[in-house]
Amino acid sequence: MSGTSELETLKAELLAEIAGADDLAAIEAVRVSALGKKGRIAQQMAKLGTLPPEERKSFGAATNAVKDAVSQSLEARRADLEAAALEARLQSERADVTLPVRPGPEALGRIHPVSQVFDECVEIFADLGFDVAEGPDIETDEMNFGKLNIPPEHPARQEHDTFYFPQKADGSRLLLRTHTSPVQIRTMEARKPPIRIIAPGRVYRCDSDQTHTPMFHQIEGLVIDETTHMGHLKWVLEEFCKAFFEVSDVKMRFRASHFPFTEPSMEVDIGAEAIGKPGQWLEILGCGMVHPNVLRNCGLDSERYQGFAFGMGLDRLTMLKYGVPDLRAFFAADLRWLRHYGFSVLDVPTLAGGL
Ligand code: DAH
């Protein structure tokens, strides 16, 4: 058999093998046996040296032509097989998005009610144009008291049942913040008005009984601008309460009170019919117009700027909204309690979807 017809036979055989390969592994096997270093085409090439010089050129060209034809055919076949494999996978792995979530860790885990209420408040206030500010749990005396217009001899200090750290050599001592109000100071010192923030966080007081725990949660609010007045304060709190308790009308009572950092100061009660207890009032927050001393302590011009602040007990709000009878249960880490009162991770509170 002449060299050329031998090549023709080889080509026909290889193309038939390629056509017969019906998966990617088979096609790879054909590729190695045909085009590999010691493959059948390389064996043909090796014969070149044994041929008389006048035949070498045409035999070389013919072998290369076979090699090209085989390569092209291999590639085409591989592309077909890959497309078919992908199609088969798409058919067999089709996801049915209407199926319920499988009970796995995501579905079994629960969001703590306080965390949920945290997120609800952020959602409501974000819609009113507030952003979230933060401050440290370990504070200085100056931030927690001094700059909030509570000087060392002020009686309000006694009411705060403060946890102090040991005194330092210079006589100062750090403390666990007793309220979120120091975040007001930090914000006013760091930013220029207009300011519109809420600051949710943990606070600490040396107090423990049925309605008090040594650590609890507050949400602070602060608005500073040039024309902000009490009407704005009342409106914001009313809008918040309506959105939070998901009712179209909430009865609210503003009682005159006293806080060193606001003047005038008020405590706010809501009519408990909003949560199914008609005839009762429930205190939910303290608020007022930011005291000019506080503005000045933060380097703001108290002739130009004014604003309001409020502080709410987050745990109290959670108990009211979700009917949790005992505050201490929040921090008992009892899994049965969490399964009962907790929220699914998929229950992300949004104003559009419901809180
Ligand atoms: N910091 C106060 C507390 O813990 C609550 C409070 C009252 C905060 C009035 C305010 C406010 O911002 O204006 O008892």
Side-chain angles (χ1 to χ4, degrees):
M1 201 197 298
S2 83
T4 329
S5 71
E6 195 178 329
L7 275 176
E8 283 307 311
T9 317
L10 176 60
K11 179 176 165 187
E13 276 174 21
L14 289 175
L15 292 182
E17 280 179 35
I18 292 168
D22 48 15
D23 62 29
L24 289 168
I27 205 81
E28 180 60 10
V30 177
R31 188 192 67 79
V32 171
S33 90
L35 301 178
K37 253 195 196 142
K38 297 196 173 128
R40 291 156 75 184
I41 291 182
Q43 285 166 20
Q44 293 298 321
M45 283 293 190
K47 288 185 187 162
L48 269 181
T50 67
L51 292 177
E54 64 278 11
E55 282 179 29
R56 280 188 200 164
K57 197 171 169 200
S58 64
F59 184 81
T63 313
N64 272 328
V66 172
K67 186 177 172 186
D68 288 347
V70 168
S71 298
Q72 271 174 23
S73 167
L74 270 170
E75 272 324 301
R77 183 76 184 135
R78 183 195 300 279
D80 284 351
L81 287 172
E82 276 174 354
L86 179 62
E87 185 57 28
R89 241 184 100 189
L90 288 174
Q91 289 298 332
S92 67
E93 292 182 9
R94 198 178 299 161
D96 182 350
V97 293
T98 64
L99 285 175
V101 177
R102 282 196 201 96
E106 300 87 348
L108 291 176
R110 283 288 171 270
I111 303 290
H112 194 286
V114 171
S115 302
Q116 185 81 5
V117 166
F118 222 88
D119 291 346
E120 292 176 10
C121 292
V122 170
E123 176 70 15
I124 297 168
F125 281 108
D127 192 56
L128 293 173
F130 287 63
D131 56 287
V132 175
E134 284 179 321
D137 289 18
I138 297 176
E139 267 297 4
T140 62
D141 199 276
E142 192 59 5
M143 287 286 175
N144 196 78
F145 294 122
K147 289 193 172 172
L148 284 162
N149 204 29
I150 316 178
E153 67 288 352
H154 199 287
R157 290 209 176 197
Q158 254 90 63
E159 289 160 28
H160 279 238
D161 302 310
T162 313
F163 286 111
Y164 284 100
F165 285 87
Q167 203 152 19
K168 290 194 277 191
D170 65 1
S172 68
R173 50 185 181 170
L174 293 170
L175 46 80
L176 289 175
R177 66 177 177 191
T178 58
H179 51 180
T180 42
S181 302
V183 186
Q184 288 187 30
I185 305 294
R186 290 183 175 275
T187 308
M188 284 189 271
E189 288 186 340
R191 301 196 203 171
K192 291 221 169 335
I195 291 171
R196 244 178 278 149
I197 56 119
I198 54 163
R202 294 194 172 112
V203 300
Y204 307 83
R205 291 188 196 178
C206 187
D207 202 351
S208 187
D209 60 30
Q210 230 162 339
T211 52
H212 297 90
T213 48
M215 186 279 291
F216 57 102
H217 301 87
Q218 287 188 337
I219 288 201
E220 194 77 14
L222 176 71
V223 172
I224 303 288
D225 209 332
E226 294 187 17
T227 56
T228 306
H229 56 68
M230 284 245 294
H232 298 137
L233 167 60
K234 281 188 73 176
W235 182 83
V236 164
L237 293 175
E238 277 167 16
E239 286 304 302
F240 167 75
C241 286
K242 284 194 281 186
F244 181 74
F245 291 108
E246 298 178 283
V247 288
S248 55
D249 198 25
V250 191
K251 256 179 33 189
M252 295 178 83
R253 184 166 77 173
F254 289 73
R255 276 183 293 110
S257 181
H258 177 263
F259 299 103
F261 33 91
T262 45
E263 181 57 39
S265 306
M266 289 158 292
E267 279 174 307
V268 177
D269 304 333
I270 58 161
E273 44 267 49
I275 54 152
K277 289 184 185 169
Q280 289 183 41
W281 290 98
L282 293 159
E283 185 193 321
I284 56 162
L285 61 92
C287 63
M289 299 305 292
V290 178
H291 197 294
N293 285 350
V294 175
L295 295 170
R296 284 194 284 269
N297 290 341
C298 300
L300 292 179
D301 178 354
S302 62
E303 296 295 317
R304 177 167 176 205
Y305 294 114
Q306 58 184 30
F308 63 79
F310 56 88
M312 315 190 266
L314 204 58
D315 313 279
R316 188 83 197 271
L317 284 177
T318 310
M319 291 170 77
L320 289 177
K321 180 163 177 182
Y322 293 112
V324 182
D326 189 342
L327 174 69
R328 290 169 299 185
F330 280 144
F331 310 115
D334 182 340
L335 201 52
R336 293 164 306 172
W337 181 88
L338 193 58
R339 285 198 183 114
H340 180 77
Y341 285 105
F343 292 82
S344 159
V345 280
L346 300 172
D347 283 343
V348 179
T350 62
L351 287 178
L355 292 173

